[in-house]
Amino acid sequence: MLNLSGISKSFIGVQALSGINLDVRAGEIHALVGENGAGKSTTIKIVAGVYKPDAGQMEFEGKPVQWARPADAKNAGIHVIYQEFVLFPHLTVAENIYLGHERRNRFGFVDHARTRQDASDLLRRLGVDIDPQILVSELTVADQQMVEISKALVHKVKLLILDEPTAVISGREADLLFARLAALKAEGVAILYVSHRLEEIFQIADRVTVFKDGAHVATKDIGDVTRDRLISMMVGRDLKDIFPPKKPKGEPGKVVLKAENVSVEGRVRNAGIEVRAGEITALAGLVGAGRTELAMGIFGGLPMSSGNVWIDGEKVDTITPATAISKGVGFVTEDRKGQGLAMFLDVAANISAANLSAVTRNGLIDRRLENEIARKEIDNYRVVCRGPATSVATMSGGNQQKVIVARWARTSRKVLILDEPTRGVDVGAKTEIYRIMRGLAGEGIAILMISSELPEVVGMSDRVIVMREGAISGELTGANISEEAIMSLATQHPTGKVPIDKVFAQ
């Protein structure tokens, strides 16, 4: 279906692709993997007609092609679902799905009833129940992903490209996506699947291609490669142990964050947690379990309808983000581009953003001091950039995440809440972020980590608190932390904490 031969592309002296090769067959799911900066996104944009290659040849359906514009690729049957959604929040679900392809009556006017019905039928094919009349702005991120996929199904798709499609979904939604991809594969659709989640690659892919530093490393049948070998090809070195050693078992640290009977209207019910100094505590559960909402309630980002919060032993009567920050609590959001970073500012400004008073002199920001601090943190967190003046918008996801962690670690000396800390970053950057997290815990900071990746939860956590449908369903520690035990708690009825012996008795 698609064949790329010797494709090269550079941007202002930076070589993004160096003679890469890639072929995707009809009726297969072909995974494309590599670290951030490996050339995956550039390749996708060449196939989609966004960029023109400097050298090499692209063939589609056996014929040489070079798209003049993205519309040409789409008209040929190529559809890309990017990691950053292309949705209009103030239009309805149906209007978004059929934008530019509106259903019309015999007089040429938009047939809204038919548009809604057809949108409902498409969503039903995906196995999701979304009201086609609701505004996209009112949907969860997972449901927005399903709307993006529905847009692709409007067209006669021959090649479907998905860029990190499960970065914002997991559990049932991911299973539904995989089932739909399997159905499209059976219909002869070629699927190019880009993901950092290696467990997904082995679950659904037929073949896998590895890129590194803009070059083609290898293409393998999925049955001919192991996870360790795949990682080794991606990062150029063996990663025998991705996760740093856990804290040796000993006396538990001091409780520095405590919450009791926390409820967030419609999202969290009577939840209580404790987070201890020097420990990494994970909040686990399926998408929609209320993990982020509980953390946001404790931090003051969402209003609590009931509950009490203590920080370092002191009860906080009215919790707000400003209060939490002033008491040494930081929050690294899962949406680093939309909520975490000031994308139009440089590294130095982003690092100092949470504590401007530290770099302010006589009412003005001291840029020399700000840059000095940034240089120190760039070295400390091994941020790959040209220096403090680098725009964060030009950096890889992993390095952007390091900048956010550096910002909050400077001011949050009690508790650091990390919501999906490695979402959308490559395995090499994940290893660096894990090292940073364990180092911060070693300094006595209490870390509350929210993660949808079970290997990450098991590999990083000293303690795991599991949620289901807005309630705490159980807690795991030490050797009892396993993927099976977490899933058991995440899928059972939430009747309060469950003793460990009952978890394994099920």
Side-chain angles (χ1 to χ4, degrees):
M1 183 66 72
L2 174 72
N3 186 56
L4 305 181
S5 302
I7 297 291
S8 296
K9 182 67 178 178
S10 63
F11 299 94
I12 318 176
V14 176
Q15 194 70 35
L17 297 175
S18 301
I20 61 100
N21 301 315
L22 174 68
D23 71 282
V24 186
R25 302 165 184 167
E28 80 161 346
I29 299 178
H30 193 126
L32 177 59
V33 301
E35 296 185 275
N36 288 97
K40 305 185 301 295
S41 294
T42 302
T43 300
I44 290 173
K45 290 178 179 178
I46 286 174
V47 174
V50 178
Y51 298 150
K52 292 182 179 180
D54 299 331
Q57 185 175 37
M58 176 168 60
E59 294 181 357
F60 188 67
E61 293 189 293
K63 300 177 181 178
V65 295
Q66 188 174 68
W67 315 120
R69 52 181 183 159
D72 294 339
K74 184 174 288 188
N75 291 336
I78 298 174
H79 195 95
V80 182
I81 299 176
Y82 292 102
Q83 187 175 352
E84 305 296 331
F85 300 150
V86 185
L87 296 172
F88 292 87
H90 299 300
L91 294 181
T92 67
V93 168
E95 288 168 340
N96 269 276
I97 290 175
Y98 284 100
L99 189 65
H101 301 272
E102 292 80 3
R103 290 350 197 184
R104 298 184 181 276
N105 59 27
R106 59 194 180 93
F107 301 108
F109 297 110
V110 174
D111 188 335
H112 294 287
R114 183 185 166 205
T115 300
R116 289 192 296 270
Q117 184 59 52
D118 287 357
S120 182
D121 292 343
L122 273 180
L123 292 164
R124 195 176 300 113
R125 284 175 61 192
L126 286 173
V128 292
D129 183 19
I130 301 175
D131 183 354
Q133 300 184 73
I134 197 172
L135 295 178
V136 163
S137 61
E138 299 176 25
L139 295 179
T140 64
V141 176
D143 283 342
Q144 289 180 23
Q145 173 72 288
M146 291 300 170
V147 174
E148 278 282 10
I149 295 170
S150 297
K151 286 169 56 180
L153 299 183
V154 170
H155 311 276
K156 176 61 178 174
V157 180
K158 297 178 181 177
L159 171 63
L160 179 63
I161 303 174
L162 300 101
D163 186 8
E164 298 291 346
T166 59
V168 292
I169 61 174
S170 64
R172 178 177 177 273
E173 290 90 351
D175 290 339
L176 288 170
L177 170 62
F178 298 157
R180 186 57 202 153
L181 294 182
L184 290 172
K185 169 185 166 181
E187 294 171 9
V189 175
I191 299 170
L192 183 61
Y193 191 93
V194 181
S195 178
H196 290 306
R197 294 185 172 181
L198 299 187
E199 65 275 11
E200 296 176 357
I201 301 302
F202 287 95
Q203 181 179 349
I204 68 171
D206 300 296
R207 291 191 298 154
V208 58
T209 290
V210 181
F211 283 1
K212 177 173 174 56
D213 297 330
H216 175 270
V217 176
T219 295
K220 300 281 187 181
D221 289 338
I222 200 66
D224 294 338
V225 65
T226 65
R227 185 176 185 275
D228 288 347
R229 178 56 184 153
L230 195 57
I231 292 173
S232 178
M233 287 190 291
M234 289 167 61
V235 302
R237 63 183 187 277
D238 289 328
L239 286 181
K240 296 180 180 178
D241 191 1
I242 294 176
F243 303 105
K246 292 188 179 183
K247 174 184 176 183
K249 188 173 182 180
E251 287 297 317
K254 174 185 176 184
V255 175
V256 289
L257 177 64
K258 179 180 178 181
E260 287 185 351
N261 301 317
V262 172
S263 293
V264 176
E265 191 66 36
R267 302 180 183 184
V268 180
R269 296 179 287 111
N270 301 321
I273 64 172
E274 291 182 351
V275 186
R276 296 177 178 273
E279 285 187 353
I280 296 178
T281 301
L283 263 181
L286 303 178
V287 170
R291 299 165 301 166
T292 295
E293 290 81 3
L294 172 58
M296 286 292 285
I298 294 170
F299 185 68
L302 286 175
M304 296 190 304
S305 52
S306 67
N308 297 299
V309 176
W310 288 262
I311 299 175
D312 203 21
E314 178 185 350
K315 185 177 180 181
V316 183
D317 293 325
T318 303
I319 188 71
T320 66
T323 302
I325 292 170
S326 70
K327 294 183 178 296
V329 181
F331 197 117
V332 176
T333 175
E334 63 177 326
D335 183 3
R336 64 173 169 266
K337 291 186 178 180
Q339 299 176 356
L341 291 167
M343 297 299 290
F344 53 89
L345 296 180
D346 59 22
V347 171
N350 271 280
I351 288 176
S352 65
N355 188 16
L356 289 177
S357 61
V359 293
T360 301
R361 300 290 182 269
N362 300 318
L364 298 174
I365 293 177
D366 186 336
R367 284 291 290 178
R368 181 182 298 178
L369 176 59
E370 190 175 57
N371 287 335
E372 182 181 323
I373 291 171
R375 275 189 288 270
K376 178 181 177 181
E377 300 301 349
I378 288 169
D379 291 340
N380 187 32
Y381 291 95
R382 302 179 189 174
V383 180
V384 178
C385 64
R386 295 187 303 276
T390 302
S391 168
V392 294
T394 65
M395 297 166 61
S396 70
N399 286 298
Q400 288 176 346
Q401 193 73 344
K402 291 180 191 177
V403 169
I404 302 175
V405 173
R407 172 206 298 165
W408 286 109
R410 284 184 52 78
T411 58
S412 311
R413 303 311 298 172
K414 299 290 184 184
V415 182
L416 187 57
I417 302 172
L418 300 168
D419 194 355
E420 303 289 359
T422 63
R423 170 169 287 170
V425 305
D426 62 75
V427 66
K430 282 185 178 184
T431 305
E432 281 290 297
I433 292 171
Y434 296 151
R435 176 191 64 81
I436 292 168
M437 290 171 61
R438 187 54 68 183
L440 292 172
E443 296 173 11
I445 296 175
I447 293 180
L448 179 62
M449 176 185 73
I450 302 167
S451 177
S452 299
E453 296 191 29
L454 289 181
E456 181 170 272
V457 172
V458 174
M460 287 300 296
S461 305
D462 301 302
R463 207 153 43 91
V464 180
I465 298 170
V466 186
M467 295 187 69
R468 182 183 186 273
E469 296 180 5
I472 303 295
S473 59
E475 183 175 314
L476 301 163
T477 59
N480 290 320
I481 298 175
S482 70
E483 294 188 26
E484 293 78 10
I486 293 168
M487 286 305 298
S488 176
L489 289 171
T491 55
Q492 70 178 20
H493 187 70
T495 56
K497 288 190 177 181
V498 178
I500 295 301
D501 58 347
K502 291 187 179 180
V503 171
F504 295 99
Q506 295 182 22

